[in-house]
Amino acid sequence: MENSTKPLQQQNQSSPTCENLPSLLSSFVDTFVDFSVSGLFLPQQQQTPQKALQTHFPSPDRLVAIGDLHGDLEKSKQAFRLAGLIDGSDRWSGGSATVVQIGDVLDRGGEELKILYFLEKLKREAVKSGGQLITLNGNHEIMNVEGDFRYVTEKGLEEFNVWAYWYGVGNKMKSLCHGLEKPKDPFHGIPLSFRGVPERFYHSIRARIAALRPDGPIARRFLADNLTVLVVGESVFVHGGLLEKHVDYGLERINEEVRDWINGLMGRRAPGYCKGRNAVVWLRKFSDELAKNCDCSLLEHVLATIPGAKRMIMGHTIQEIGINGACDNRAIRIDVGMSKGCINGLPEVLEINRNSELRVLTSNPMYQNKNKSYANAERKEGLGLLIPENGPKQVEVKA
């Protein structure tokens, strides 16, 4: 009898299902929480050792840049549809395109988490098609990780309140499984009240801090691997702008340090180059809506310090006239304030083909049934599509 039961015992001990049951349960719970918060199924991915962030990418056949989104999910989807990057079911349809979202997903709207989940879903789908979606940190991501909630809306607070509820439910479910490590309390160390804040917002603010502070679940999952500076072919992407001192400090170094900070390895405060009017996420020297106020000589000098760079593409400063160029199109400004929490601007995106032709894809009815190109006899060949101080060719696409 003893001999007959031994093989069964050995089978149970070696069964991968039995051994992996706790981790499988944890993955199921996390997927359940994701769906409850976002309405999307995002199966948990296998943990892999952290790799160095890639700062420089070669020129793709098609490069698309999308500006600030600020908590407006529908406008975000419209921007992706303009460029043919998603289909009617919101699935990736951009093929091998490289897409850059310039930062500022957070604040001013009530669907910040839904956009973060949406972008993560598209990243996974893009890779399967040979494309990629690269997201950057804007000043509002930096502010929120630091706990600066000046631009948060009531709906934004409520969305994080919902997240905290379901995250807590998930932790309780995990705590019932003896094979799992006891979940960390995301609220540990967070005050119960806040001076000058109505009591009805206490819990929502605590939830937002818990989610977004350094090493917080949402910050670690969705923001830590964002880049802060990116170079794709001839184009430099940054939310605010770069100065020579930033280039000298090291673009790769900036990306790695911001990731370490968001992952909770560098204290509570953001690195110095992320704070103040001359910070990489705050600078406006090249994005003033009046092109004559842009410091073009400084920009040219900065670009000259980055091998192969011909232009800097920025968000941060709303361009009411739409995407446009300054400084002989060395500065391309792509924040059109599309969110209803900003100026409810019409979605526009920037497209760059391998041959360096720049186009604006717009939903502006002014360009309906027109392919409006601008030529200037004094412009160099290949840049004739751009008007100095006004920007790339406009191509109307219905959202």
Side-chain angles (χ1 to χ4, degrees):
M1 186 71 177
E2 184 176 336
N3 290 336
S4 65
T5 60
K6 189 172 183 180
L8 181 60
Q9 291 172 347
Q10 290 176 341
Q11 182 180 348
N12 285 340
Q13 290 170 0
S14 62
S15 168
T17 303
C18 293
E19 290 178 358
N20 295 333
L21 185 58
S23 61
L24 290 172
L25 174 64
S26 178
S27 179
F28 168 79
V29 170
D30 289 337
T31 302
F32 164 74
V33 171
D34 286 345
F35 182 77
S36 300
V37 173
S38 68
L40 297 175
F41 282 109
L42 283 180
Q44 299 302 301
Q45 295 181 308
Q46 187 175 0
Q47 295 292 326
T48 57
Q50 182 171 284
K51 298 179 181 178
L53 293 171
Q54 184 175 347
T55 299
H56 295 261
F57 292 79
S59 293
D61 290 331
R62 185 177 187 232
L63 174 61
V64 178
I66 298 175
D68 305 31
L69 302 178
H70 280 306
D72 192 328
L73 179 62
E74 185 50 43
K75 285 291 190 69
S76 301
K77 291 180 178 180
Q78 286 180 25
F80 277 86
R81 289 193 191 107
L82 275 176
L85 298 170
I86 60 173
D87 62 20
S89 300
D90 299 334
R91 292 186 294 258
W92 177 264
S93 59
S96 61
T98 292
V99 182
V100 179
Q101 196 283 314
I102 204 75
D104 275 10
V105 167
L106 299 180
D107 288 338
R108 302 189 188 277
E111 297 166 309
E112 301 154 281
L113 284 171
K114 287 184 174 62
I115 296 176
L116 290 175
Y117 276 97
F118 174 65
L119 294 177
E120 175 63 24
K121 179 183 81 77
L122 290 185
K123 287 180 181 181
R124 299 184 186 186
E125 294 172 351
V127 168
K128 293 178 181 178
S129 298
Q132 60 183 335
L133 168 58
I134 304 169
T135 51
L136 270 59
N137 287 311
N139 60 306
H140 286 265
E141 279 72 50
I142 302 299
M143 291 168 67
N144 275 268
V145 176
E146 278 203 314
D148 184 343
F149 299 156
R150 279 177 287 171
Y151 299 96
V152 173
T153 66
E154 280 197 43
K155 288 186 177 179
L157 287 175
E158 178 56 30
E159 190 183 32
F160 277 83
N161 213 16
V162 171
W163 166 83
Y165 171 77
W166 287 111
Y167 192 82
V169 169
N171 277 354
K172 288 178 181 177
M173 293 170 69
K174 290 178 183 179
S175 67
L176 299 176
C177 181
H178 296 295
L180 286 176
E181 195 176 319
K182 184 179 179 181
K184 292 193 299 185
D185 177 10
F187 289 92
H188 178 73
I190 298 176
L192 296 173
S193 61
F194 304 91
R195 183 181 301 175
V197 174
E199 186 175 349
R200 70 181 188 277
F201 295 131
Y202 284 176
H203 188 268
S204 298
I205 290 176
R206 295 186 76 234
R208 195 174 180 99
I209 293 172
L212 291 171
R213 63 179 172 175
D215 197 34
I218 296 297
R220 185 174 63 248
R221 183 176 181 188
F222 294 116
L223 304 182
D225 286 334
N226 282 358
L227 297 180
T228 304
V229 187
L230 167 68
V231 181
V232 182
E234 301 171 341
S235 301
V236 179
F237 293 88
V238 61
H239 185 73
L242 289 178
L243 299 176
E244 185 181 5
K245 65 179 182 180
H246 301 136
V247 181
D248 290 342
Y249 189 81
L251 305 186
E252 292 85 356
R253 185 179 177 186
I254 288 173
N255 283 333
E256 292 293 340
E257 288 182 354
V258 173
R259 175 168 70 172
D260 286 346
W261 169 62
I262 294 175
N263 277 329
L265 304 177
M266 295 178 61
R268 293 177 56 237
R269 297 300 174 193
Y273 46 75
C274 286
K275 303 178 72 171
R277 61 188 302 177
N278 289 327
V280 294
V281 294
W282 282 98
L283 192 72
R284 298 187 195 270
K285 288 182 182 291
F286 316 128
S287 57
D288 192 297
E289 207 168 5
L290 287 176
K292 66 180 182 180
N293 294 335
C294 295
D295 193 335
C296 296
S297 61
L298 177 60
L299 175 62
E300 189 168 359
H301 183 71
V302 174
L303 289 174
T305 64
I306 303 173
K310 291 186 177 180
R311 67 185 69 88
M312 192 177 295
I313 299 174
M314 298 153 283
H316 187 46
T317 303
I318 293 175
Q319 309 293 313
E320 293 193 26
I321 62 172
I323 292 175
N324 66 86
C327 303
D328 290 331
N329 298 301
R330 291 185 181 89
I332 306 294
R333 297 88 66 83
I334 66 170
D335 177 11
V336 296
M338 71 177 82
S339 169
K340 290 184 285 292
C342 294
I343 63 170
N344 199 24
L346 292 169
E348 292 188 346
V349 302
L350 178 71
E351 179 184 67
I352 305 175
N353 294 315
R354 182 177 281 278
N355 63 5
S356 295
E357 177 188 338
L358 278 71
R359 300 194 308 166
V360 175
L361 306 181
T362 179
S363 57
N364 191 331
M366 172 182 174
Y367 299 103
Q368 192 166 6
N369 300 322
K370 297 177 184 178
N371 284 348
K372 188 172 183 180
S373 63
Y374 300 97
N376 184 318
E378 298 177 359
R379 303 293 292 158
K380 294 181 180 178
E381 185 177 354
L383 293 178
L385 294 170
L386 306 183
I387 314 186
E389 322 310 340
N390 280 298
K393 178 174 73 171
Q394 303 275 353
V395 179
E396 188 270 339
V397 181
K398 290 184 179 179

PDB file of all heavy atoms in Angstrom, residues 279-295:
ATOM      1  N   ALA A 279      13.915  73.173 -16.343  1.00  0.00           N
ATOM      2  CA  ALA A 279      13.950  71.712 -16.277  1.00  0.00           C
ATOM      3  C   ALA A 279      13.549  71.105 -17.619  1.00  0.00           C
ATOM      4  O   ALA A 279      12.867  71.737 -18.436  1.00  0.00           O
ATOM      5  CB  ALA A 279      13.003  71.221 -15.187  1.00  0.00           C
ATOM      6  N   VAL A 280      13.960  69.862 -17.828  1.00  0.00           N
ATOM      7  CA  VAL A 280      13.666  69.195 -19.100  1.00  0.00           C
ATOM      8  C   VAL A 280      12.165  69.043 -19.332  1.00  0.00           C
ATOM      9  O   VAL A 280      11.725  68.961 -20.492  1.00  0.00           O
ATOM     10  CB  VAL A 280      14.358  67.810 -19.172  1.00  0.00           C
ATOM     11  CG1 VAL A 280      15.864  67.965 -19.197  1.00  0.00           C
ATOM     12  CG2 VAL A 280      13.926  66.912 -18.017  1.00  0.00           C
ATOM     13  N   VAL A 281      11.369  69.010 -18.277  1.00  0.00           N
ATOM     14  CA  VAL A 281       9.921  68.864 -18.440  1.00  0.00           C
ATOM     15  C   VAL A 281       9.164  70.180 -18.283  1.00  0.00           C
ATOM     16  O   VAL A 281       7.937  70.217 -18.452  1.00  0.00           O
ATOM     17  CB  VAL A 281       9.354  67.814 -17.447  1.00  0.00           C
ATOM     18  CG1 VAL A 281       9.875  66.424 -17.769  1.00  0.00           C
ATOM     19  CG2 VAL A 281       9.674  68.189 -15.999  1.00  0.00           C
ATOM     20  N   TRP A 282       9.871  71.268 -17.981  1.00  0.00           N
ATOM     21  CA  TRP A 282       9.224  72.556 -17.743  1.00  0.00           C
ATOM     22  C   TRP A 282       9.645  73.659 -18.722  1.00  0.00           C
ATOM     23  O   TRP A 282       8.965  74.686 -18.835  1.00  0.00           O
ATOM     24  CB  TRP A 282       9.524  73.045 -16.321  1.00  0.00           C
ATOM     25  CG  TRP A 282       8.729  72.392 -15.241  1.00  0.00           C
ATOM     26  CD1 TRP A 282       9.120  71.365 -14.447  1.00  0.00           C
ATOM     27  CD2 TRP A 282       7.394  72.718 -14.835  1.00  0.00           C
ATOM     28  NE1 TRP A 282       8.130  71.024 -13.558  1.00  0.00           N
ATOM     29  CE2 TRP A 282       7.055  71.843 -13.774  1.00  0.00           C
ATOM     30  CE3 TRP A 282       6.460  73.661 -15.254  1.00  0.00           C
ATOM     31  CZ2 TRP A 282       5.820  71.873 -13.137  1.00  0.00           C
ATOM     32  CZ3 TRP A 282       5.228  73.699 -14.611  1.00  0.00           C
ATOM     33  CH2 TRP A 282       4.914  72.819 -13.562  1.00  0.00           C
ATOM     34  N   LEU A 283      10.757  73.499 -19.392  1.00  0.00           N
ATOM     35  CA  LEU A 283      11.332  74.552 -20.225  1.00  0.00           C
ATOM     36  C   LEU A 283      10.348  75.024 -21.305  1.00  0.00           C
ATOM     37  O   LEU A 283       9.653  74.223 -21.912  1.00  0.00           O
ATOM     38  CB  LEU A 283      12.611  74.015 -20.894  1.00  0.00           C
ATOM     39  CG  LEU A 283      13.518  75.045 -21.570  1.00  0.00           C
ATOM     40  CD1 LEU A 283      14.233  75.888 -20.539  1.00  0.00           C
ATOM     41  CD2 LEU A 283      14.531  74.347 -22.469  1.00  0.00           C
ATOM     42  N   ARG A 284      10.323  76.351 -21.525  1.00  0.00           N
ATOM     43  CA  ARG A 284       9.463  76.905 -22.580  1.00  0.00           C
ATOM     44  C   ARG A 284      10.235  77.821 -23.534  1.00  0.00           C
ATOM     45  O   ARG A 284       9.627  78.564 -24.304  1.00  0.00           O
ATOM     46  CB  ARG A 284       8.300  77.696 -21.960  1.00  0.00           C
ATOM     47  CG  ARG A 284       7.369  76.869 -21.084  1.00  0.00           C
ATOM     48  CD  ARG A 284       6.166  77.682 -20.650  1.00  0.00           C
ATOM     49  NE  ARG A 284       5.442  77.070 -19.559  1.00  0.00           N
ATOM     50  CZ  ARG A 284       4.436  76.202 -19.692  1.00  0.00           C
ATOM     51  NH1 ARG A 284       4.056  75.838 -20.900  1.00  0.00           N
ATOM     52  NH2 ARG A 284       3.824  75.715 -18.631  1.00  0.00           N
ATOM     53  N   LYS A 285      11.545  77.767 -23.512  1.00  0.00           N
ATOM     54  CA  LYS A 285      12.348  78.674 -24.335  1.00  0.00           C
ATOM     55  C   LYS A 285      12.133  78.462 -25.828  1.00  0.00           C
ATOM     56  O   LYS A 285      12.374  79.365 -26.638  1.00  0.00           O
ATOM     57  CB  LYS A 285      13.839  78.499 -24.017  1.00  0.00           C
ATOM     58  CG  LYS A 285      14.265  79.053 -22.660  1.00  0.00           C
ATOM     59  CD  LYS A 285      15.760  78.891 -22.453  1.00  0.00           C
ATOM     60  CE  LYS A 285      16.188  79.392 -21.076  1.00  0.00           C
ATOM     61  NZ  LYS A 285      16.058  80.864 -20.966  1.00  0.00           N
ATOM     62  N   PHE A 286      11.689  77.271 -26.220  1.00  0.00           N
ATOM     63  CA  PHE A 286      11.526  76.967 -27.641  1.00  0.00           C
ATOM     64  C   PHE A 286      10.070  76.710 -28.019  1.00  0.00           C
ATOM     65  O   PHE A 286       9.789  76.323 -29.145  1.00  0.00           O
ATOM     66  CB  PHE A 286      12.362  75.734 -28.022  1.00  0.00           C
ATOM     67  CG  PHE A 286      13.747  75.741 -27.456  1.00  0.00           C
ATOM     68  CD1 PHE A 286      14.229  74.645 -26.750  1.00  0.00           C
ATOM     69  CD2 PHE A 286      14.574  76.839 -27.605  1.00  0.00           C
ATOM     70  CE1 PHE A 286      15.498  74.636 -26.216  1.00  0.00           C
ATOM     71  CE2 PHE A 286      15.857  76.854 -27.073  1.00  0.00           C
ATOM     72  CZ  PHE A 286      16.323  75.746 -26.373  1.00  0.00           C
ATOM     73  N   SER A 287       9.151  76.915 -27.079  1.00  0.00           N
ATOM     74  CA  SER A 287       7.751  76.561 -27.352  1.00  0.00           C
ATOM     75  C   SER A 287       6.785  77.724 -27.159  1.00  0.00           C
ATOM     76  O   SER A 287       5.572  77.516 -27.200  1.00  0.00           O
ATOM     77  CB  SER A 287       7.322  75.392 -26.456  1.00  0.00           C
ATOM     78  OG  SER A 287       7.506  75.705 -25.090  1.00  0.00           O
ATOM     79  N   ASP A 288       7.302  78.957 -26.986  1.00  0.00           N
ATOM     80  CA  ASP A 288       6.420  80.114 -26.909  1.00  0.00           C
ATOM     81  C   ASP A 288       5.573  80.167 -28.171  1.00  0.00           C
ATOM     82  O   ASP A 288       6.070  79.976 -29.281  1.00  0.00           O
ATOM     83  CB  ASP A 288       7.243  81.394 -26.760  1.00  0.00           C
ATOM     84  CG  ASP A 288       6.381  82.592 -26.381  1.00  0.00           C
ATOM     85  OD1 ASP A 288       5.508  82.964 -27.190  1.00  0.00           O
ATOM     86  OD2 ASP A 288       6.583  83.150 -25.291  1.00  0.00           O
ATOM     87  N   GLU A 289       4.269  80.416 -27.999  1.00  0.00           N
ATOM     88  CA  GLU A 289       3.395  80.391 -29.170  1.00  0.00           C
ATOM     89  C   GLU A 289       3.769  81.476 -30.173  1.00  0.00           C
ATOM     90  O   GLU A 289       3.529  81.327 -31.374  1.00  0.00           O
ATOM     91  CB  GLU A 289       1.922  80.524 -28.743  1.00  0.00           C
ATOM     92  CG  GLU A 289       1.009  79.876 -29.747  1.00  0.00           C
ATOM     93  CD  GLU A 289      -0.418  79.726 -29.254  1.00  0.00           C
ATOM     94  OE1 GLU A 289      -0.735  80.210 -28.154  1.00  0.00           O
ATOM     95  OE2 GLU A 289      -1.213  79.132 -29.988  1.00  0.00           O
ATOM     96  N   LEU A 290       4.374  82.562 -29.711  1.00  0.00           N
ATOM     97  CA  LEU A 290       4.921  83.554 -30.625  1.00  0.00           C
ATOM     98  C   LEU A 290       6.334  83.119 -30.986  1.00  0.00           C
ATOM     99  O   LEU A 290       7.244  83.170 -30.160  1.00  0.00           O
ATOM    100  CB  LEU A 290       4.943  84.932 -29.963  1.00  0.00           C
ATOM    101  CG  LEU A 290       3.582  85.622 -29.787  1.00  0.00           C
ATOM    102  CD1 LEU A 290       3.745  86.936 -29.038  1.00  0.00           C
ATOM    103  CD2 LEU A 290       2.920  85.865 -31.143  1.00  0.00           C
ATOM    104  N   ALA A 291       6.513  82.677 -32.206  1.00  0.00           N
ATOM    105  CA  ALA A 291       7.790  82.100 -32.615  1.00  0.00           C
ATOM    106  C   ALA A 291       8.945  83.081 -32.439  1.00  0.00           C
ATOM    107  O   ALA A 291      10.078  82.678 -32.169  1.00  0.00           O
ATOM    108  CB  ALA A 291       7.706  81.634 -34.063  1.00  0.00           C
ATOM    109  N   LYS A 292       8.662  84.378 -32.563  1.00  0.00           N
ATOM    110  CA  LYS A 292       9.735  85.362 -32.447  1.00  0.00           C
ATOM    111  C   LYS A 292      10.323  85.391 -31.033  1.00  0.00           C
ATOM    112  O   LYS A 292      11.425  85.903 -30.828  1.00  0.00           O
ATOM    113  CB  LYS A 292       9.222  86.752 -32.826  1.00  0.00           C
ATOM    114  CG  LYS A 292       8.174  87.314 -31.874  1.00  0.00           C
ATOM    115  CD  LYS A 292       7.700  88.691 -32.309  1.00  0.00           C
ATOM    116  CE  LYS A 292       6.675  89.267 -31.322  1.00  0.00           C
ATOM    117  NZ  LYS A 292       6.226  90.617 -31.747  1.00  0.00           N
ATOM    118  N   ASN A 293       9.588  84.849 -30.059  1.00  0.00           N
ATOM    119  CA  ASN A 293      10.083  84.824 -28.681  1.00  0.00           C
ATOM    120  C   ASN A 293      10.924  83.589 -28.373  1.00  0.00           C
ATOM    121  O   ASN A 293      11.424  83.445 -27.256  1.00  0.00           O
ATOM    122  CB  ASN A 293       8.912  84.877 -27.695  1.00  0.00           C
ATOM    123  CG  ASN A 293       8.168  86.194 -27.759  1.00  0.00           C
ATOM    124  OD1 ASN A 293       8.738  87.214 -28.168  1.00  0.00           O
ATOM    125  ND2 ASN A 293       6.902  86.192 -27.372  1.00  0.00           N
ATOM    126  N   CYS A 294      11.070  82.693 -29.340  1.00  0.00           N
ATOM    127  CA  CYS A 294      11.852  81.480 -29.122  1.00  0.00           C
ATOM    128  C   CYS A 294      13.345  81.785 -29.294  1.00  0.00           C
ATOM    129  O   CYS A 294      13.728  82.535 -30.196  1.00  0.00           O
ATOM    130  CB  CYS A 294      11.420  80.386 -30.099  1.00  0.00           C
ATOM    131  SG  CYS A 294       9.727  79.843 -29.846  1.00  0.00           S
ATOM    132  N   ASP A 295      14.152  81.181 -28.449  1.00  0.00           N
ATOM    133  CA  ASP A 295      15.595  81.401 -28.495  1.00  0.00           C
ATOM    134  C   ASP A 295      16.213  80.437 -29.507  1.00  0.00           C
ATOM    135  O   ASP A 295      16.713  79.368 -29.160  1.00  0.00           O
ATOM    136  CB  ASP A 295      16.183  81.179 -27.099  1.00  0.00           C
ATOM    137  CG  ASP A 295      17.609  81.697 -26.977  1.00  0.00           C
ATOM    138  OD1 ASP A 295      18.287  81.777 -28.035  1.00  0.00           O
ATOM    139  OD2 ASP A 295      18.046  81.988 -25.855  1.00  0.00           O
TER     140      ASP A 295
END
